[in-house]
Amino acid sequence: MIATASMRSRSIAAISKRFFALALLAAAPVCAAAPQQALPGIPLKLPAPSDTTTWTIVVVLTLLTVLPALVLSMTPFVRILIVFHFLRQALGTQNTPSNQTLMGLALFLTYFIMQPVGLQIDRVAVDPLEHHRVTALQALELASDPLRDFMLKFAREKELALLTEIAQLNRPQQPSELPMRVVIPAYILSEMKVGFQIGAVLYLPFMVVDMVVAAVTTSVGMLQLPPVIISTPLKILLFVVADGWNLVVGSLLKSFS
């Protein structure tokens, strides 16, 4: 029976091979007679410089892709977020407030600070572009001037001089003559320095509370009790009683006035 089954399987395989060969021979003339069709070409044309609507769409889509980088590099968002993270670490509350809460508050404070600059950009760049008085590229150049003035107001001269030297540029007569590739990194470095300075000042009172609690628990022999269990509620209570959020946010906003 085993031999009969093997013979049947061999005969089925042979029949399948013959059928497949006959199918190939039958389809060969049809494939050879079929005309070869070329793929249609896809036209690629850039819009004309006078087509302001198309260029406006291109500029808007480009700005949407680089919007996070613009928010991080050309606004007070960096300083505000650094201060908030230092404050949370100083309080010892781990993930409270959450990162989403801190970023949301930082974004709205950034919008509050940058609103005058945004109105100026709308007046000098967006409005002329909507009325077809300037092209999209000219509007970008006009919009960069208010941003440059804002960043130069808070960028330190030391960082500007360092990046100007590294870029091998001649020292300009006025800071407004510096290119954006020098102004933007200088502004970011300055904002990080100021943010760390404010964070260090915020750390001091909470560090004193930690030291006092650690000294008291050690002196009374409570060696098995971690001092952070006692110091964290005390720091939160101190922060709430002193209206800490009002003081921190008010100081941040006043630092940009």
Side-chain angles (χ1 to χ4, degrees), residues 106-127:
L107 281 174
F108 278 102
L109 291 177
T110 302
Y111 168 75
F112 181 82
I113 296 171
M114 294 297 294
Q115 186 178 10
V117 181
L119 293 176
Q120 188 176 0
I121 293 174
D122 180 74
R123 186 178 66 255
V124 302
V126 178
D127 188 64

Side-chain angles (χ1 to χ4, degrees), residues 89-161:
Q89 292 181 3
L91 286 171
T93 54
Q94 301 299 325
N95 294 324
T96 305
S98 62
N99 290 330
Q100 292 81 359
T101 304
L102 294 180
M103 291 186 68
L105 180 57
L107 281 174
F108 278 102
L109 291 177
T110 302
Y111 168 75
F112 181 82
I113 296 171
M114 294 297 294
Q115 186 178 10
V117 181
L119 293 176
Q120 188 176 0
I121 293 174
D122 180 74
R123 186 178 66 255
V124 302
V126 178
D127 188 64
L129 180 63
E130 291 179 349
H131 290 82
H132 306 287
R133 293 197 296 266
V134 295
T135 62
L137 295 178
Q138 292 174 344
L140 284 177
E141 294 179 0
L142 293 173
S144 64
D145 292 335
L147 285 173
R148 182 186 289 106
D149 295 338
F150 173 81
M151 290 186 289
L152 287 173
K153 185 179 179 181
F154 301 101
R156 299 199 320 161
E157 184 178 355
K158 186 176 181 181
E159 275 77 15
L160 290 172

Side-chain angles (χ1 to χ4, degrees), residues 135-227:
T135 62
L137 295 178
Q138 292 174 344
L140 284 177
E141 294 179 0
L142 293 173
S144 64
D145 292 335
L147 285 173
R148 182 186 289 106
D149 295 338
F150 173 81
M151 290 186 289
L152 287 173
K153 185 179 179 181
F154 301 101
R156 299 199 320 161
E157 184 178 355
K158 186 176 181 181
E159 275 77 15
L160 290 172
L162 173 64
L163 292 169
T164 303
E165 181 182 357
I166 294 176
Q168 297 180 356
L169 299 175
N170 296 326
R171 192 177 184 88
Q173 298 295 331
Q174 299 292 333
S176 58
E177 299 176 3
L178 289 171
M180 294 294 282
R181 66 188 181 99
V182 173
V183 177
I184 293 177
Y187 172 76
I188 296 175
L189 292 174
S190 302
E191 289 295 286
M192 291 177 63
K193 179 179 175 61
V194 175
F196 273 77
Q197 289 175 342
I198 299 175
V201 174
L202 286 175
Y203 246 107
L204 293 178
F206 300 110
M207 185 175 63
V208 172
V209 174
D210 287 332
M211 294 175 62
V212 171
V213 170
V216 171
T217 54
T218 304
S219 62
V220 298
M222 301 172 62
L223 301 178
Q224 301 298 327
L225 180 65

Side-chain angles (χ1 to χ4, degrees), residues 46-61 125-140:
L46 293 176
S50 59
D51 190 1
T52 57
T53 303
T54 305
W55 280 111
T56 302
I57 295 174
V58 173
V59 171
V60 170
L61 292 178
V126 178
D127 188 64
L129 180 63
E130 291 179 349
H131 290 82
H132 306 287
R133 293 197 296 266
V134 295
T135 62
L137 295 178
Q138 292 174 344
L140 284 177

Side-chain angles (χ1 to χ4, degrees), residues 243-256:
D243 199 3
W245 286 113
N246 189 2
L247 295 175
V248 172
V249 173
S251 300
L252 282 173
L253 295 179
K254 291 177 181 178
S255 66
F256 288 99

